[in-house]
Amino acid sequence: MTKRSPKSKDSSYTWPRVPLIDTRQKVAEKYGRAEDYGFFGPDSVSWKVWSHSSSLILGFVRSVTIEHLDPNLTAAVVQSGGVKYRTHTRYGRTMAYFSQVTFGAARPTAKAADVLVKVHSKAIGTDPVTGGRYDANDPESQLWIHVTAWHSILYCYEKFGGGTLAPAEELRYWDECARAAELQTIDPDRVPRSRAEVVAYFEEKRPHLASSEAAIDMVKFILSLHVALPPTMSRWQRAPFLPLTFILSKAVIATYPKYMRDLLAIRQGPLVNAVAIPATWAVHQVIERSFVLKYFLMSVLSPQALPSAIPAVLGVEAEKPVTTTPREAQARYGYDVPREAHLGFRAKQYQRVFDDGQAPSEEGLVESQEHIGAM
């Protein structure tokens, strides 16, 4: 596989065409109506929070960098090589999946979640930091990813977006977070259900968090925010985004608690924080006041998320304006509960890697392209 430099001079990138007249109507017609409202719907707190522009870069970058403090996750990421060698597609697939979970219709999302179990079955091996085995399908590993994502999205929404949720809204948000966990191998009873429980969860995890040369390298790579820009952009096409990505990167760092900055060997003074936080808040106020601008940025930064997100952002009524739960959808469409899904295939992967010393099968990766985007 050929490695593309984030500074590639390839000028084949085509700017998204965003019409200035009847934009909402034309965009709505382009993406059509969802089959149903999936697992949350327009009255949910999840739709309110995740549809905000602070989710585009800030929330996701914050979560995927903090996640690297789990040595097992870092080992899985480094082993796959995807983040560095196909940065934008890896970012796009992640955005596409989380967008499906939050906004997508029940049937295709249940399928994507089922396929993702097979994708994660490839991410197994021996962690060079702890010496133990890692498995991306491990329920506790999945819980760490899930909580950091939902917490980071909410944290950035409150700090740079819509302000603090009302207490009742926040409780609903974490209930919805637990519902979404049913699409992964997580035990839903382990998901925090309140701000206090989230704080307790991070305190529980803190003694088990660790950094490494690989983790620090990955975090610094991601914080450059090249991950969010298409690699085929030319230098002049990237230029307008550089001031934005610079200030957003500093804003992400400003959200880390001190112990995380220390673990990641990141230094940033209070003066930088004092500039980055209000500047980033102001940027998002501007974006939220212009659908044209918001749609343009989504088209550049996360086009793979648009099919699921746009109908929700625009308030387009679904063909069937109903919601369901992941467990109901899994039963209705014939998918196992994720913890029990593809056990035979996962066992074969273990045998290939740990007993036979071979590389894992890529069957899940190939199949996943239809449901969460091309590799």
Side-chain angles (χ1 to χ4, degrees):
M1 183 178 294
T2 302
K3 179 180 178 181
R4 299 192 67 102
S5 167
K7 296 183 179 179
S8 170
K9 295 182 180 180
D10 186 342
S11 60
S12 62
Y13 177 76
T14 302
W15 288 95
R17 294 184 177 181
V18 183
L20 298 179
I21 301 175
D22 295 329
T23 299
R24 288 177 174 269
Q25 180 181 345
K26 291 182 179 180
V27 173
E29 291 173 354
K30 177 180 178 179
Y31 290 98
R33 302 167 66 189
E35 293 179 19
D36 53 50
Y37 284 141
F39 307 114
F40 304 110
D43 295 330
S44 67
V45 183
S46 300
W47 278 32
K48 173 182 176 178
V49 172
W50 284 69
S51 65
H52 195 275
S53 55
S54 57
S55 300
L56 279 176
I57 294 183
L58 292 174
F60 276 96
V61 169
R62 185 183 193 274
S63 65
V64 299
T65 48
I66 288 175
E67 286 169 8
H68 282 80
L69 291 174
D70 177 355
N72 287 341
L73 182 139
T74 297
V77 169
V78 171
Q79 174 259 333
S80 74
V83 171
K84 282 201 169 182
Y85 301 124
R86 44 184 180 82
T87 303
H88 194 63
T89 54
R90 180 68 177 261
Y91 173 79
R93 281 162 62 87
T94 300
M95 294 289 284
Y97 178 72
F98 275 103
S99 179
Q100 277 187 278
V101 169
T102 310
F103 306 114
R107 181 188 56 80
T109 304
K111 175 62 177 178
D114 183 72
V115 171
L116 194 61
V117 175
K118 295 179 73 174
V119 172
H120 285 155
S121 74
K122 182 179 184 294
I124 57 176
T126 301
D127 176 9
V129 174
T130 65
R133 292 180 174 181
Y134 64 85
D135 180 347
N137 276 316
D138 176 75
E140 288 300 308
S141 179
Q142 286 289 301
L143 178 64
W144 169 246
I145 294 169
H146 189 71
V147 174
T148 54
W150 280 70
H151 172 260
S152 291
I153 294 294
L154 177 58
Y155 188 99
C156 290
Y157 171 84
E158 292 190 330
K159 198 169 191 69
F160 305 111
T164 304
L165 294 179
E169 282 189 310
E170 186 168 352
L171 289 175
R172 284 179 59 199
Y173 181 83
W174 291 111
D175 278 343
E176 291 164 11
C177 173
R179 189 186 311 168
E182 295 179 359
L183 291 161
Q184 297 168 249
T185 58
I186 301 165
D187 176 359
D189 291 338
R190 287 278 292 141
V191 179
R193 303 300 181 99
S194 67
R195 185 178 295 256
E197 290 186 11
V198 173
V199 171
Y201 173 76
F202 279 107
E203 286 302 309
E204 173 191 331
K205 289 290 295 185
R206 185 170 175 175
H208 305 286
L209 302 181
S211 188
S212 64
E213 183 177 348
I216 292 171
D217 177 65
M218 289 302 305
V219 168
K220 289 184 175 179
F221 175 79
I222 295 169
L223 281 174
S224 72
L225 298 188
H226 290 145
V227 65
L229 298 176
T232 50
M233 269 186 167
S234 66
R235 189 180 299 275
W236 73 265
Q237 289 170 328
R238 286 175 174 269
F241 291 93
L242 295 182
L244 176 63
T245 55
F246 177 80
I247 197 69
L248 292 182
S249 175
K250 299 303 179 185
V252 171
I253 293 171
T255 68
Y256 296 154
K258 184 179 183 301
Y259 78 90
M260 289 186 179
R261 293 199 301 271
D262 290 343
L263 282 171
L264 294 170
I266 294 175
R267 301 289 179 265
Q268 181 168 293
L271 181 59
V272 175
N273 295 346
V275 173
I277 291 174
T280 300
W281 181 89
V283 165
H284 286 90
Q285 302 313 302
V286 172
I287 295 172
E288 286 299 308
R289 283 169 171 76
S290 170
F291 174 75
V292 171
L293 178 57
K294 185 173 183 177
Y295 177 56
F296 173 77
L297 290 174
M298 291 177 71
S299 299
V300 173
L301 302 175
S302 56
Q304 298 90 334
L306 292 175
S308 299
I310 285 299
V313 170
L314 290 177
V316 178
E317 184 172 315
E319 294 176 6
K320 295 180 180 179
V322 297
T323 60
T324 185
T325 70
R327 290 289 182 261
E328 289 170 343
Q330 286 152 2
R332 181 180 304 156
Y333 300 115
Y335 300 115
D336 291 329
V337 171
R339 291 184 70 172
E340 301 170 2
H342 308 293
L343 294 179
F345 179 73
R346 290 156 66 182
K348 289 179 180 179
Q349 294 282 52
Y350 259 68
Q351 181 176 344
R352 285 176 65 96
V353 173
F354 296 117
D355 297 339
D356 302 336
Q358 299 180 29
S361 166
E362 296 195 353
E363 178 183 334
L365 284 177
V366 174
E367 185 180 359
S368 71
Q369 296 186 83
E370 179 184 349
H371 305 285
I372 55 177
M375 298 295 296

